Amino acid sequence: MTSKRVLICGSIAFDTIMVFEGKFKDQILPDQVHILNVAFLVPSLRKDWGGCAGNIAYSLKMLGGNPVPMAAVGHDSTGYQERLNKLGIDTSCLRVVADEYTAQAFITTDLDDNQITAFHPGAMSHSHLNTVEQAGDVALGIIAPDGRDGMIQHAEQFAQAGIPFIFDPGQGLPMFGKPELTRFLELATFAAVNDYEAKMLCERTGLSLEDIAAKLEALVVTRGAEGSWVYHQGQRHTIPCVKAEQIADPTGCGDAYRGGLLYGLTEGMGVVEAAKLASLMGSLKIACKGPQNYHFTRDEIASRFESAFGHKPW
């Protein structure tokens, strides 16, 4: 049986990860930052497929879901699109902007795990050219970090089409003030944020987490190693963090979590059970470097779920 189609509005991006085998603080003179001119030798470099829409789609597809990423990509996206096609992921809603590069993040990490990141949005800034209507029949959606105008318009379009969706502002949250965030919460069915974003969301809207949850079917707050909270029907459910085999790279863990959440919701698991599956997907991802380099079968995922929670997920 074919799984229900899930529209994933968000970014498609390339991630370039570099490691500086020293400490930034030893190279930057605090009293000379007004004439800063530094270069870091980075012997270690890795290029990854990334972007929230790509990462979420990867997680959802691994579970047997039917993701449809909707994003604006650049003239350099051919290889990424070919990869998605090989994975069996629908690429019909990827719009190529011919005179732009695909969004790209350049991340340099030092030995203290400090990071300096440069992000080029490129084609992502044109995400508003895509419309929810063009995706056709969709059971559920998610608005992940993307171009500002695109996020606003896609929320309105989901609501107008009567399609339930998750509001997942992520690192895009600072782009919005109280009016926009309040409107997102009015339109959304669910919201998913990490603990830092949750505090920012409360500060910017003037609402408590309980107030925000009351506007939604459920609010999910991820808390790293502390697990996650699911606010649902006036209760706060604590979802434990599934112990990972190792801690290799947190990049993309939130997206893996959201893939699990989307799968559970489309398969009728209920939001609390879906969050348990989401927690497992995050733990599987964190043990591998890169946001799309972990590989597990449905049977393997089901076995690990049973070990973690004492019952089978399906």
Side-chain angles (χ1 to χ4, degrees):
M1 186 175 71
T2 303
S3 297
K4 298 175 182 177
R5 299 174 79 239
V6 177
L7 186 61
I8 304 170
C9 303
S11 62
I12 291 288
F14 296 112
D15 295 338
T16 300
I17 315 296
M18 296 160 282
V19 177
F20 169 54
E21 296 179 350
K23 300 179 180 180
F24 294 144
K25 67 180 182 180
D26 295 334
Q27 304 292 319
I28 298 174
L29 302 175
D31 61 340
Q32 299 295 314
V33 292
H34 63 292
I35 54 170
L36 185 65
N37 187 355
V38 295
F40 303 108
L41 179 66
V42 288
S44 173
L45 182 148
R46 189 180 78 248
K47 292 190 175 184
D48 288 322
W49 313 103
C52 294
N55 297 343
I56 295 170
Y58 182 83
S59 172
L60 179 54
K61 185 65 179 181
M62 187 182 300
L63 285 161
N66 191 2
V68 183
M70 187 167 76
V73 296
H75 56 76
D76 56 344
S77 64
T78 302
Y80 204 143
Q81 294 192 62
E82 289 175 349
R83 180 175 188 273
L84 293 175
N85 286 327
K86 287 180 181 178
L87 291 169
I89 294 174
D90 187 339
T91 58
S92 63
C93 289
L94 298 185
R95 175 186 293 270
V96 178
V97 183
D99 56 351
E100 295 277 12
Y101 286 102
T102 300
Q104 300 186 44
F106 301 88
I107 304 167
T108 304
T109 303
D110 73 358
L111 294 182
D112 283 338
D113 285 332
N114 295 309
Q115 288 187 333
I116 296 176
T117 300
F119 181 73
H120 174 66
M124 191 184 81
S125 299
H126 301 272
S127 64
H128 59 280
L129 299 176
N130 290 320
T131 64
V132 168
E133 182 182 19
Q134 76 192 59
D137 184 29
V138 171
L140 181 65
I142 184 170
I143 294 179
D146 205 355
R148 183 181 187 277
D149 291 345
M151 292 177 72
I152 292 171
Q153 292 180 25
H154 297 153
E156 296 287 347
Q157 292 164 7
F158 273 128
Q160 290 169 8
I163 300 170
F165 73 93
I166 298 173
F167 175 50
D168 170 28
Q171 63 266 39
L173 198 154
M175 295 189 295
F176 305 107
K178 181 177 180 178
E180 295 94 348
L181 292 171
T182 301
R183 181 60 174 164
F184 276 124
L185 295 173
E186 289 174 352
L187 299 173
T189 314
F190 309 92
V193 291
N194 65 27
D195 44 4
Y196 180 82
E197 294 155 4
K199 292 177 182 177
M200 184 180 292
L201 186 58
C202 289
E203 289 177 359
R204 295 206 170 188
T205 60
L207 301 171
S208 67
L209 289 176
E210 290 77 12
D211 292 335
I212 293 170
K215 295 176 174 292
L216 303 160
E217 186 170 323
L219 168 66
V220 178
V221 180
T222 59
R223 305 164 58 235
E226 300 300 315
S228 52
W229 288 330
V230 176
Y231 292 81
H232 178 56
Q233 295 182 344
Q235 292 185 297
R236 190 184 77 183
H237 303 266
T238 299
I239 309 300
C241 178
V242 177
K243 183 176 176 57
E245 291 183 349
Q246 63 175 338
I247 307 298
D249 178 12
T251 307
C253 285
D255 296 330
Y257 185 105
R258 282 147 181 77
L261 191 63
L262 288 165
Y263 183 79
L265 291 173
T266 55
E267 296 300 314
M269 291 178 69
V271 67
V272 174
E273 284 298 300
K276 293 178 182 178
L277 179 61
S279 179
L280 173 61
M281 294 304 290
S283 78
L284 297 179
K285 207 283 355 135
I286 203 170
C288 300
K289 291 185 177 181
Q292 297 180 31
N293 295 326
Y294 59 111
H295 308 280
F296 296 90
T297 67
R298 272 176 54 87
D299 287 344
E300 289 171 336
I301 293 170
S303 176
R304 290 175 183 245
F305 184 98
E306 185 175 13
S307 295
F309 298 107
H311 61 277
K312 296 181 183 298
W314 46 72

